[in-house]
Amino acid sequence: MERKRSDKRISQGDDVDKENTLPGGRIVRYQTTMHHTLPFVALKTRPGWRETQAEGDWDFFYACTGWIHENLPYAGHARGGMRLLDHQKVNHFPNHIELTRKDLMAKNLKRTKRALEKEGRLDEAAEFDFFPMTFTLPSEGQMFLRAFHESGGVWIMKPIGRAQGKGIFLVNKASQIESWLRERGKEKAENCCYENYVAQRYVSNPYTVAGRKFDLRLYCLVLSYNPMKVYLYREGFARFTAARYSMNKEDISNNFIHLTNHAIQKKDEDYDPTTTDLKWPVGQLKRFMTTMHGAMRVDKCFHGIQSLMVNSLRAVQNVIINDKHCFEMYGYD
């Protein structure tokens, strides 16, 4: 049975706050699976937006990825997924993991670069030189070991699906890699649950501020992949470590030096939230960099970062299911 859109206009007789509506007396009805988040707080306080519990009677659904996978499967309505009405929007594309899961992102970036090289579009292919050498583990474990024996160095190991720095560690010895691979092989043989990882060559000489490593959190909003329609958010922030950067051997295992995730840094015994939150607005970082390097070089740097973000979206443009009901806001680190 088809669901029909309910009338969203508010009549004069409705017992509602007329000041808390959109022009013309309209309201936007929303539902969410994430009540303990800051976006829900924003939705609650947004004029003209109202939460509803009625099944299917919503304009916007702010959903966790689990809800998306259950209700908007890749094959859509034909595989038991919801049949959304024209006006309804959700905040994830069905196969969003093609970009947000580390192994799939690496696969798509590599594939796009190879395709451009094969077509002779070498200048475009060079635009995808921004990501380091990457291996998916344990499936590419022997390739990783071969690369390590050839060039050595420090590599960073990351679980493919976790966030906030969980499970990340650095390696600088072949024996560490071999031990990890053996442990994963043992877990597989015993039919235990285990996580796949990606291994990437570590950027051992990062740009620092006052000797401290940092990363950037920037955002973009994708309304459509075909045609590509994306908005880059002007703001963002830099996240710093509390400890000074070091590549000394005794510091390789110190995540307080190497990982900028705030969830990691706030556990450092030297972290004092009353003096700093280890964050700068991106505007403050730009001003600092401008005083050090000049406006022209800083503008070129941030233009390159924006190009990186757009090219990552290009890498999945033909893979993402471009459902007209979906949009996505991506946070780039």
Side-chain angles (χ1 to χ4, degrees):
M1 175 181 286
E2 294 284 348
R3 290 183 288 108
K4 295 183 179 180
R5 182 179 182 178
S6 60
D7 186 8
K8 300 296 187 294
R9 288 196 175 274
I10 302 174
S11 68
Q12 293 295 321
D14 288 340
D15 185 18
V16 296
D17 181 2
K18 298 298 192 297
E19 295 182 357
N20 190 29
T21 61
L22 297 172
R26 293 182 61 82
I27 60 173
V28 176
R29 301 181 189 275
Y30 70 89
Q31 289 187 8
T32 182
T33 59
M34 298 186 290
H35 288 90
H36 303 291
T37 63
L38 287 176
F40 174 62
V41 175
L43 288 172
K44 283 201 306 182
T45 57
R46 190 177 180 89
W49 288 61
R50 213 159 289 166
E51 186 177 15
T52 176
Q53 302 298 330
E55 183 177 352
D57 186 24
W58 48 267
D59 303 296
F60 170 57
F61 203 118
Y62 184 70
C64 62
T65 56
W67 186 93
I68 295 292
H69 296 160
E70 180 179 351
N71 292 280
L72 296 178
Y74 292 8
H77 181 70
R79 289 291 182 90
M82 295 180 65
R83 185 188 294 275
L84 299 182
L85 303 179
D86 286 344
H87 70 283
Q88 292 181 314
K89 300 290 184 182
V90 296
N91 61 317
H92 292 290
F93 289 93
N95 59 336
H96 61 92
I97 60 173
E98 293 288 344
L99 181 62
T100 59
R101 209 176 79 180
K102 297 177 183 70
D103 58 334
L104 297 180
M105 176 177 63
K107 176 201 70 175
N108 287 311
L109 289 171
K110 291 178 183 178
R111 175 185 50 77
T112 302
K113 184 179 180 182
R114 284 196 304 267
L116 291 171
E117 290 172 341
K118 187 175 181 180
E119 294 171 8
R121 298 156 64 183
L122 301 184
D123 288 342
E124 287 184 67
E127 296 179 11
F128 288 84
D129 287 338
F130 55 81
F131 62 98
M133 184 180 292
T134 304
F135 297 97
T136 300
L137 305 178
S139 61
E140 296 178 341
Q142 294 308 309
M143 294 172 60
F144 176 32
L145 272 173
R146 192 178 311 122
F148 184 88
H149 285 302
E150 289 175 355
S151 58
V154 178
W155 295 70
I156 186 167
M157 308 272 286
K158 306 175 184 178
I160 63 172
R162 288 206 254 177
Q164 298 183 329
K166 296 174 182 176
I168 297 178
F169 61 96
L170 272 59
V171 296
N172 62 345
K173 298 177 182 178
S175 59
Q176 294 171 309
I177 303 168
E178 292 166 348
S179 175
W180 187 90
L181 289 171
R182 281 196 302 270
E183 185 65 27
R184 285 298 181 276
K186 180 181 178 181
E187 290 174 349
K188 184 177 181 180
E190 295 176 352
N191 201 28
C192 296
C193 293
Y194 66 91
E195 292 180 287
N196 287 343
Y197 269 62
V198 294
Q200 296 180 307
R201 184 176 292 281
Y202 187 55
V203 180
S204 58
N205 59 337
Y207 184 86
T208 60
V209 174
R212 288 168 171 78
K213 183 179 176 181
F214 70 95
D215 74 355
L216 286 173
R217 167 56 68 95
L218 301 173
Y219 296 93
C220 74
L221 175 66
V222 178
L223 299 183
S224 170
Y225 275 97
N226 189 21
M228 179 73 75
K229 189 172 184 180
V230 53
Y231 293 88
L232 302 180
Y233 186 48
R234 294 183 183 274
E235 300 300 324
F237 54 91
R239 305 181 299 185
F240 292 86
T241 61
R244 293 179 66 85
Y245 185 72
S246 168
M247 281 297 291
N248 294 333
K249 289 184 178 180
E250 62 270 20
D251 293 326
I252 290 295
S253 61
N254 188 341
N255 282 350
F256 297 130
I257 290 175
H258 296 286
L259 302 186
T260 59
N261 308 77
H262 196 64
I264 299 292
Q265 291 298 319
K266 68 182 182 181
K267 297 176 183 178
D268 187 345
E269 62 182 15
D270 294 328
Y271 170 58
D272 183 1
T274 63
T275 59
T276 178
D277 63 355
L278 298 177
K279 295 177 184 177
W280 275 5
V282 70
Q284 184 175 354
L285 177 67
K286 283 185 175 181
R287 288 191 294 272
F288 169 83
M289 295 176 66
T290 299
T291 62
M292 300 295 292
H293 311 289
M296 186 176 297
R297 295 181 69 184
V298 174
D299 288 344
K300 182 179 180 181
C301 173
F302 276 85
H303 181 267
I305 293 173
Q306 292 176 355
S307 296
L308 179 157
M309 295 168 71
V310 172
N311 282 329
S312 72
L313 298 173
R314 287 175 55 201
V316 298
Q317 184 174 14
N318 296 325
V319 178
I320 294 288
I321 299 171
N322 192 51
D323 192 319
K324 67 179 182 180
H325 302 285
C326 303
F327 69 91
E328 192 111 20
M329 185 173 72
Y330 296 104
Y332 281 78
D333 296 337

